[in-house]
């Protein structure tokens, strides 16, 4: 079975590789699909550090890229990017790619506990050896805290009702499988069960993996690691992560934060990034037909500029 079909490959490579002999980071290696395509566009002096927090993904990407001496694959999180770059002696960077979220393999493997469609342990950790599982998070949370988390990370309106049902079940028997969680959500009789399940599972996944905290740390590490003219390409799959990316770069593109009525800048902040091309790009219709996962992808490209 295919591990993961990479999304918007042509757009990613065209947007990222401006210098074929530069140093690049694929911060979300997954099955190595984007990494492999990037290597095809790099010259003999080009280098690529491919990183993933998931040990299974690292093994798959390593096997796929093993024959290419320009590539090195390492296990780690976004928050560890600067450290990994220093350890590998790679940089300053010409480009960094973030293809956010989970891979098809992670979703499709019942043992990982990401999917409400299959039965498996209620785990959801991308790095299956670190931190509490979704089941442990539910066991440690209060009902109001869980409701807040489902509302914030799942943007689910019935978050309180769902959290109440989860804890009603939890008191009878600890929720330790994806199907037990599914039943607790279904017991609230939502109009669109699958949509509610998707939002609740998304919320728990984001919380278990601290996805937004990691993204913020990764963007900051990339910002620092890039050289002027270096590019950042980000593929987001839901509004929370896309909003974070958009707001993060809006501030860096704008630079000055003085109120409009102030005639001369007093804050002294300068733009450090510019947007490249369109505000954002979507996958083509033909790609979405072949790969439904591409439907929700939003691609944004930014370029670091010389400090003025
Ligand atoms: C959409 S998949 C990437 C697929 C990849 N582009 C390919 O071509 O196969 C996202 C990957 O990012 C990894 N990931 C998500 N958050 C991460 C983080 N904070 N640090 C490192 N890897 C992360 C996941 O484990 C997953 O393998």
């Amino acid at each position: 079975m295919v591990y993961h079909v990479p999304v918007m490959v042509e757009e990613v490579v065209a947007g990222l590789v401006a210098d074929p002999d530069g140093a690049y980071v694929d911060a979300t290696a997954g099955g190595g699909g984007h990494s492999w395509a990037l290597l095809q566009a790099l010259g003999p002096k080009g280098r690529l550090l491919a990183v993933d927090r998931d040990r299974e993904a690292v093994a798959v990407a390593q096997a796929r890229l093993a024959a290419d001496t320009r590539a090195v694959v390492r296990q780690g999180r976004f928050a560890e990017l600067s450290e990994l770059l220093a350890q590998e002696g790679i940089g300053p960077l010409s480009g960094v790619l973030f293809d956010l979220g989970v891979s098809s393999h992670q979703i499709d493997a019942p043992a990982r506990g990401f999917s409400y469609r299959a039965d498996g342990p209620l785990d959801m950790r991308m790095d299956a050896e670190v931190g509490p599982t979704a089941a442990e998070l539910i066991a440690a949370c209060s009902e109001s805290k869980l409701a807040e988390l489902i509302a914030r990370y799942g943007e689910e309106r019935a978050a309180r009702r769902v959290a109440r049902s989860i804890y009603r079940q939890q008191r009878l028997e600890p929720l330790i499988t994806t199907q037990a969680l599914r039943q607790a959500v279904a017991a609230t009789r939502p109009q669109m069960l699958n949509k509610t399940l998707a939002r609740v599972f998304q919320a728990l996944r984001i919380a278990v993996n601290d996805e937004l905290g990691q993204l913020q740390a990764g963007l900051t590490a990339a910002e620092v690691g890039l050289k002027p003219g270096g590019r950042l390409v980000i593929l987001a799959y839901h509004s929370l992560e896309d909003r974070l990316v958009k707001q993060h770069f809006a501030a860096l593109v704008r630079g000055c934060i003085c109120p409009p009525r102030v005639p001369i800048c007093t804050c002294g902040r300068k733009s450090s990034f510019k947007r490249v091309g369109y505000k954002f790009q979507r996958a083509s219709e033909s790609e979405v037909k072949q790969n439904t996962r591409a439907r929700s992808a939003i691609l944004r490209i930014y370029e670091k500029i010389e400090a003025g």
Side-chain angles (χ1 to χ4, degrees):
M1 207 160 118
V2 180
Y3 188 92
H4 181 87
V5 178
V7 168
M8 298 181 78
V9 175
E10 270 179 39
E11 294 88 338
V12 165
V13 174
L16 197 64
V17 181
D19 171 12
D21 288 328
Y24 291 83
V25 170
D26 177 353
T28 48
H34 280 121
S35 284
W36 189 86
L38 288 170
L39 286 164
Q40 308 315 301
L42 296 189
K45 290 193 195 139
R47 288 190 78 190
L48 177 75
L49 171 64
V51 177
D52 204 293
R53 70 193 293 180
D54 181 332
R55 286 155 218 266
E56 273 181 30
V58 168
V60 173
Q62 242 154 9
R64 180 144 195 209
L65 308 176
D68 198 319
T69 53
R70 298 168 302 168
V72 46
V73 185
R74 292 286 310 270
Q75 195 266 339
R77 293 170 296 144
F78 296 163
E80 295 160 338
L81 272 182
S82 304
E83 221 176 298
L84 290 171
L85 285 166
Q87 282 167 11
E88 294 300 327
I90 294 181
L93 301 170
S94 295
V96 182
L97 168 65
F98 290 94
D99 176 21
L100 300 171
V102 276
S103 66
S104 306
H105 174 79
Q106 286 168 327
I107 290 277
D108 294 342
R112 304 298 301 269
F114 285 107
S115 173
Y116 59 83
R117 294 181 197 278
D119 199 9
L122 193 53
D123 191 321
M124 299 198 195
R125 290 169 303 169
M126 290 185 195
D127 178 352
E129 289 178 17
V130 177
T133 64
E136 287 162 352
L137 186 134
I138 290 174
C141 248
S142 64
E143 187 179 311
S144 61
K145 177 88 182 117
L146 185 72
E148 188 193 313
L149 196 150
I150 293 172
R152 182 181 309 162
Y153 296 147
E155 301 185 292
E156 168 57 46
R157 284 208 205 140
R160 280 167 169 274
R161 201 181 323 142
V162 171
R164 201 174 312 129
S165 176
I166 288 176
Y167 280 101
R168 197 176 297 130
Q169 298 282 343
Q170 176 80 4
R171 279 190 289 274
L172 298 174
E173 192 179 3
L175 264 75
I176 53 167
T177 66
T178 52
Q179 290 316 289
L181 176 60
R182 183 190 172 109
Q183 278 159 20
V185 175
T188 64
R189 298 185 182 282
Q191 274 186 340
M192 313 264 250
L193 176 60
N194 281 354
K195 291 208 164 155
T196 306
L197 284 167
R199 289 193 286 262
V200 172
F201 273 67
Q202 171 184 296
L204 283 167
R205 193 197 88 197
I206 291 176
V208 164
N209 296 288
D210 181 25
E211 287 184 35
L212 300 180
Q214 282 290 321
L215 177 55
Q216 186 71 55
L219 294 179
T220 304
E223 237 176 88
V224 175
L226 281 171
K227 62 182 183 187
R231 299 247 178 117
L232 198 58
V233 171
I234 303 129
L235 273 164
Y237 296 87
H238 60 74
S239 55
L240 290 177
E241 57 192 14
D242 184 54
R243 204 176 302 143
L244 192 155
V245 170
K246 200 170 69 179
Q247 287 171 355
H248 183 91
F249 282 99
L252 298 178
V253 169
R254 192 182 336 111
C256 172
I257 53 164
C258 295
R261 62 189 153 71
V262 176
I264 296 171
C265 169
T266 51
C267 76
R269 297 198 195 188
K270 302 254 184 294
S271 304
S272 51
F273 276 81
K274 68 176 185 186
R275 207 180 62 217
V276 177
Y278 299 106
K279 268 191 185 167
F280 61 86
Q281 296 178 56
R282 293 277 198 179
S284 67
E285 262 179 50
S286 63
E287 179 171 358
V288 173
K289 260 189 206 149
Q290 285 169 33
N291 179 10
T292 48
R293 202 189 131 71
R295 189 186 304 130
S296 50
I298 298 180
L299 179 123
R300 295 183 190 269
I301 307 173
Y302 299 95
E303 185 176 308
K304 189 165 177 174
I305 52 182
E306 295 276 2

